[in-house]
Structure formats: C-alpha cells, structure tokens
Amino acid sequence: MITHTHSLESPPRTDGLLIRWAPFYDSVVDVLTLGHTRRLRNVTIDAALLDVGESVLDVGCGTGGVTIPAAERVGPRGLAAGIDPSPEMIAVARSKADRLNLKVDFRIGVIESLPYPDGSFDAVTSSLMMHHLTPELQVKGIAEIYRVLKPGGRLLIADTTIPRGFFLKRVFGLIARRHGVKFGVEDLTGVLKSAGFAGVNVLEMRFLMLGFVLATKQSA
Ligand SMILES: C[S@@+](CC[C@H](N)C(=O)[O-])C[C@H]1O[C@@H](n2cnc3c(N)ncnc32)[C@H](O)[C@@H]1O
C-alpha cells in the first residue's frame, strides 16, 4: 500500500517567535477580538488604504487573516502575497485561499530577509506580528519592508498599543514586565523614521487593545 505523507518543511532560522498551533489560531483570535475578527480585518485593510489593482505583501501573515481580505480588495488585477516562517500557518493560509478560489502567493519566509526584489509592492501590512520580533529584528524587518516597497508605497502596522486609561496602562505595564516585553505600536515610530519612511502617523483609531501606524516611503 502506498501512503502519501504530506510532511511540512522545517521552518527557517529566525529569532522571531513562531506560532506552530495553526489549526487553533483563528479560533483564538476570534475569542480575543470578542467575535469581531472580521471587523478587525476590514479595519486593517481600510487603514492600509488598499485599492483595486494594487500589489500588497502581508508580513508574518499567519493563517492569512489579513492577506485573504487584502487579496479580495485588490482583486484579480492586483497581487497579494504573504510570508511567514511557520510552515503550519502557511499550510492553513493556503487551504483557506484555495477554498475561496483566491490566488495568493503564500510563502514560507522571514521578515528579515524578504524574498522579493526592491520596489515590488504598493503596500505592506504587518498585523499582530511586530511583538513577535526582538528589537533588532524589528529594525532589520522594517528596513526590508522599506526596500520592497515602491516609492510612495505604504506600510500599515496593526499591533498592541499602550492603553490610554490609568488602570489599563498599569495592567498593560504589569503584563509587559512579567513577560519581559515592552511593546506598543507607537514605540516603532523612531525605527520607521530611521529606516527612511517619510510620513509616519499613529492613527487616532483603536480596536480593543490594538493601535495602527501608517508610514509612507518617500516618492522617487
Ligand atoms: C500573532 S501571529 C499574526 C498572524 C497574522 N498576521 C494575523 O494578523 O493574524 C504572528 C506571526 O508572526 C510570525 N513570525 C514570527 N517570526 C517571524 C519572522 N521573523 N518573520 C515573519 N513572521 C514571523 C509567526 O509565525 C506568526 O504567524
């Protein structure tokens, strides 16, 4: 009897924190967003100002939560790609896109070494992934994003934000200290400016504990 084993590749080396429990990931996000995952995804691609016909790369794409609605937004005349070092996450993302009959270029890869030529994309999205990187990797990854963006291209980062209220600020501080991390999406503005991004804006809107930063690469 011939048996076909579909063993997954081993992940590339990275200091980033991988998620390997891919089959449960979407359900966990749904719980954390209190059932509003779809709204979060729509808010994210709206904030990235994605338009029909554009090319978009989703870094640390996971199961394609942002990549898939982004592919629907840019449509068949556009191009959507997603990279993640976790083979399990990429496998789930590919099967979700296949079920929807959507063409998305999902690849196993790392943000610190993006497998695309300079100036490939109109927009890059990074959703809930920057806090998975060490500060050194954030610097390298953001430089790579800058490289693969076209002049005038946009980067939208959605990630945890430092809460505004006194009580939540204290809770966030305690959790962050306990886990040895200090991260709010607004902490990235300095890194973004150093990488060369021109317009770097922390958006006013928030979604639960998440904030958004939109940065633009200088036009040629
Ligand atoms: C919390 S998940 C976010 C997934 C997806 N973007 C979303 O919004 O649901 C963070 C992802 O970052 C990925 N990751 C970790 N290190 C990475 C790296 N060096 N480069 C790219 N992605 C990385 C993990 O494997 C994981 O899938």
Side-chain angles (χ1 to χ4, degrees):
M1 187 177 72
I2 299 170
T3 54
H4 296 277
T5 51
H6 297 275
S7 60
L8 293 166
E9 310 170 35
S10 37
R13 253 208 58 71
T14 177
D15 290 333
L17 186 67
L18 269 62
I19 293 186
R20 313 293 301 268
W21 37 275
F24 311 105
Y25 178 77
D26 287 350
S27 307
V28 171
V29 174
D30 223 24
V31 170
L32 293 176
T33 58
L34 314 174
H36 294 295
T37 310
R38 182 171 282 270
R39 219 177 92 221
L40 168 63
R41 302 323 194 173
N42 287 338
V43 164
T44 305
I45 59 172
D46 282 348
L49 309 173
L50 284 184
D51 208 351
V52 175
E54 286 194 314
S55 50
V56 56
L57 168 67
D58 186 26
V59 290
C61 63
T63 58
V66 168
T67 340
I68 289 172
E72 288 169 334
R73 174 73 58 92
V74 299
R77 285 196 295 114
L79 181 151
I83 63 114
D84 198 290
S86 164
E88 293 83 359
M89 294 294 246
I90 290 294
V92 171
R94 282 180 179 149
S95 69
K96 280 163 67 176
D98 285 350
R99 276 202 301 278
L100 292 166
N101 220 2
L102 263 183
K103 199 163 157 273
V104 185
D105 175 17
F106 282 116
R107 297 190 199 179
I108 295 170
V110 291
I111 190 174
E112 57 268 36
S113 173
L114 293 173
Y116 309 99
D118 298 358
S120 299
F121 296 96
D122 296 301
V124 173
T125 53
S126 160
S127 163
L128 316 180
M129 72 82 61
M130 283 289 166
H131 67 272
H132 279 243
L133 307 180
T134 61
E136 294 74 26
L137 270 191
Q138 288 172 352
V139 172
K140 277 191 194 164
I142 286 172
E144 272 293 89
I145 291 171
Y146 190 85
R147 180 184 69 74
V148 301
L149 274 174
K150 295 178 184 174
R154 311 170 304 277
L155 164 62
L156 186 277
I157 303 177
D159 222 301
T160 51
T161 185
I162 299 165
R164 288 187 183 128
F166 176 78
F167 177 70
L168 281 178
K169 213 177 206 155
R170 293 294 292 268
V171 173
F172 186 84
L174 279 173
I175 295 171
R177 265 201 301 284
R178 195 179 160 79
H179 293 279
V181 290
K182 179 187 167 294
F183 186 73
V185 74
E186 43 286 272
D187 295 333
L188 290 173
T189 53
V191 180
L192 289 164
K193 286 176 188 159
S194 303
F197 281 96
V200 177
N201 296 304
V202 179
L203 304 186
E204 267 302 309
M205 65 168 186
R206 291 182 168 209
F207 189 98
L208 300 171
M209 294 276 281
L210 304 175
F212 302 84
V213 174
L214 183 65
T216 310
K217 180 169 175 172
Q218 302 258 25
S219 300

